[in-house]
Every structure is written in structure tokens, then in C-alpha cells.
Amino acid sequence: DKTMADIPFPGWDEVEKERRQPEPNVWLTVKDSDGNVVRRVSGPAKKGMHRITWDLRFPSTSVIGTLGSWPMQEPQGIMAAPGDYTATLDKQVDGQVTQLSDPVSFKVERMYNSLMQEAEPKAVVAFWQEVADMQRTTTAMGTELQDIGTRINRLKQALSQSQSEPGELDAQWFELYNQYEDLAERLNGNKAKAEVGAIPAVGINHRIFVAMMGTAYSTYGPTPTHRQSLDIAAKELEIFSKDLQQLVNRDIPAFEQKLEAAKAPRVPGQSW
């Protein structure tokens, strides 16, 4: 302050309140003709003219922090079907959302018409959505499996620093480790084969990949092979999910209790 005037201190409560205050945001919300939210796109909350672009896709269902695949740097969602949509502009300040504009209608049109017979766009998008919903689950499970692998390795270290005799608990840890490796193979295929470039046993993610990549960039619709691949993945995923929950919610906690009794150091995330 060039005037060198006294600046009153507002108090630590006000300073803390300001520290916790999130940045304001502007949202462009896109809805389909039935009023369902398709996508919300963040925009700058600054003075002046700004442009917000929707890429004509649903949001990605990949786990947050997952990298995109070449050539995209960020994970992409499935494409939206041609049809009627609306866009609304809102502002968000301190968690409170205020509408800035009435809905504006627009139409998404197909760029090219093929000479080949195609499925109805809504039917194609419905299949993509089914695949995306399954990917939403499997990517989360894949991330959890990675965390389980780290946890099991830490449990081995904790076991080595416990006051137990070598033998029984070591065998139980090895059983946990094999349960984890079996689950990883069922989800992603055989690691040993993948390391040398051999064709691995087909995992759940591979079946989903077949279902998606055969249709992701085409509006012709899924073939019976794509449909079958996704159906098999869904059946395998149901059993896989139960086995994963058993490992996480029953087997690992039971082993941690035995380590606790053996006065082993706790691993991160273990209850205290």
C-alpha cells in the first residue's frame, strides 16, 4: 500500500475461510432430448469472451489418474449419438450453482452416410455405454488390484519383522500372494506369456477390448462376435468380483489379525 495506511487484520477465522475457498467455476452442461445429462464441461471463470468446446463424447469412465491411449493424452468417453441436445451455462461459487442462461438447443448430425447398412445410432451408443459401464468397473478393480499387490508385499515385510517362528504364517502369506496373482491373471491375462510376446490366456479386459475396439470408431453397430465377447466378460466379471471382495474383506484382514498377534509392525491402511 503506497499510502502506508494501516491494514486491519480480519482475523484467523476469515483467513482460514479464504484458504479453504475453492476456485469459482463455469459449467457448460449438455443434455440429450430426454433431459439426461450427457456431459458437463468446465470453463474459465474470468472476464472477457471465452469459448467452451464439447467434443461430442460422454465423459471417460476410466479411473481418475489413468492415462489415455495413443494418440490421445487423456482418456476419452464414448461418442454421443446424432440427435437433439441442449446446452446450459452455470456458475459455481463456494459450492453453490447458479444458472446463467436458458437452455440453448442444437443438433448433432452425422457427417457421412455409408452405403452399407448400419444399426440405429441409439442402439450403437447403447452398446458403447454397456462397454463403458463395464470398463468403469474393471479399471477400478485393476487399480485396487495394484494396491493389493503393494499391500501384500508390505505384509511380507511386516511378517519378516514379526515375533513369529518361520513356517505357518509364511505359508499363509504365500497363499494370499497366489490368490492375488490368480486374480491379476483372470483380469489381464498371463504375465509370463505377455513378457515374451506370446499370446496370453484371454482375460476379462481383453474380451472388453475386443468388444470396444471393433465398434468404438464405427457406427455400423456390434457384430455377434462383439456381443458374445462382452457377454462372456460380464459373466466372468461377476465371479471375479466376488473372489476379489473375499480377498479384500476376509482373507487379507484375517491374515493381518494374525500378524497383529505376532506383534508385527502395521502396514499403511491397516486398522489400529
Side-chain angles (χ1 to χ4, degrees):
D1 188 346
K2 293 181 180 181
T3 64
M4 301 299 291
D6 181 46
I7 300 176
F9 180 59
W12 288 113
D13 289 343
E14 287 298 319
V15 173
E16 177 64 14
K17 182 179 178 181
E18 183 178 348
R19 187 191 68 82
R20 297 184 186 186
Q21 187 175 38
E23 292 291 331
N25 198 25
V26 171
W27 292 106
L28 175 72
T29 305
V30 179
K31 297 182 180 181
D32 62 19
S33 57
D34 295 325
N36 300 311
V37 174
V38 174
R39 186 76 175 271
R40 62 181 200 175
V41 184
S42 177
K46 299 178 180 179
K47 294 181 179 180
M49 299 291 293
H50 303 282
R51 175 178 293 179
I52 305 175
T53 303
W54 174 43
D55 61 1
L56 303 181
R57 290 180 177 273
F58 286 83
S60 169
T61 55
S62 298
V63 170
I64 300 300
T66 303
L67 298 178
S69 56
W70 187 90
M72 306 305 298
Q73 296 298 319
E74 296 292 333
Q76 282 190 322
I78 63 173
M79 292 186 291
D84 296 319
Y85 294 85
T86 61
T88 307
L89 203 61
D90 301 283
K91 70 174 181 179
Q92 181 176 343
V93 180
D94 292 340
Q96 300 298 315
V97 176
T98 305
Q99 186 169 311
L100 297 177
S101 72
D102 292 329
V104 176
S105 300
F106 65 97
K107 184 181 291 292
V108 174
E109 297 183 349
R110 186 193 302 271
M111 292 182 63
Y112 304 103
N113 291 318
S114 173
L115 297 178
M116 298 176 64
Q117 183 177 359
E118 296 178 309
E120 284 294 323
K122 287 188 176 181
V124 178
V125 172
F127 180 79
W128 290 344
Q129 190 67 64
E130 191 175 348
V131 175
D133 288 343
M134 198 173 298
Q135 283 184 320
R136 178 173 176 269
T137 299
T138 55
T139 55
M141 287 180 172
T143 300
E144 185 169 10
L145 261 182
Q146 292 177 356
D147 293 340
I148 290 172
T150 300
R151 190 180 191 88
I152 288 178
N153 285 329
R154 286 173 173 168
L155 288 174
K156 182 181 181 182
Q157 184 178 355
L159 175 58
S160 70
Q161 296 176 225
S162 70
Q163 294 178 339
S164 66
E165 290 191 26
E168 182 179 353
L169 288 183
D170 297 86
Q172 291 178 14
W173 175 87
F174 188 64
E175 177 62 27
L176 280 180
Y177 172 73
N178 277 315
Q179 285 180 252
Y180 155 72
E181 287 289 355
D182 287 343
L183 286 169
E185 181 171 342
R186 286 161 60 184
L187 185 65
N188 299 312
N190 186 284
K191 292 181 181 178
K193 289 183 177 181
E195 286 176 354
V196 297
I199 299 176
V202 175
I204 295 172
N205 277 334
H206 179 77
R207 295 192 184 280
I208 297 174
F209 175 81
V210 169
M212 172 58 93
M213 294 309 296
T215 61
Y217 302 102
S218 168
T219 56
Y220 296 119
T223 67
T225 299
H226 299 140
R227 179 75 264 174
Q228 183 183 36
S229 184
L230 191 63
D231 289 343
I232 293 174
K235 293 177 181 177
E236 293 180 349
L237 185 61
E238 183 177 358
I239 301 173
F240 176 89
S241 176
K242 293 178 181 178
D243 293 342
L244 178 61
Q245 289 178 20
Q246 176 178 303
L247 178 62
V248 173
N249 299 325
R250 190 191 73 179
D251 298 340
I252 290 180
F255 183 74
E256 289 176 343
Q257 287 181 1
K258 293 180 179 179
L259 287 183
E260 183 73 15
K263 300 187 182 301
R266 295 184 177 94
V267 300
Q270 185 176 348
S271 62
W272 48 271

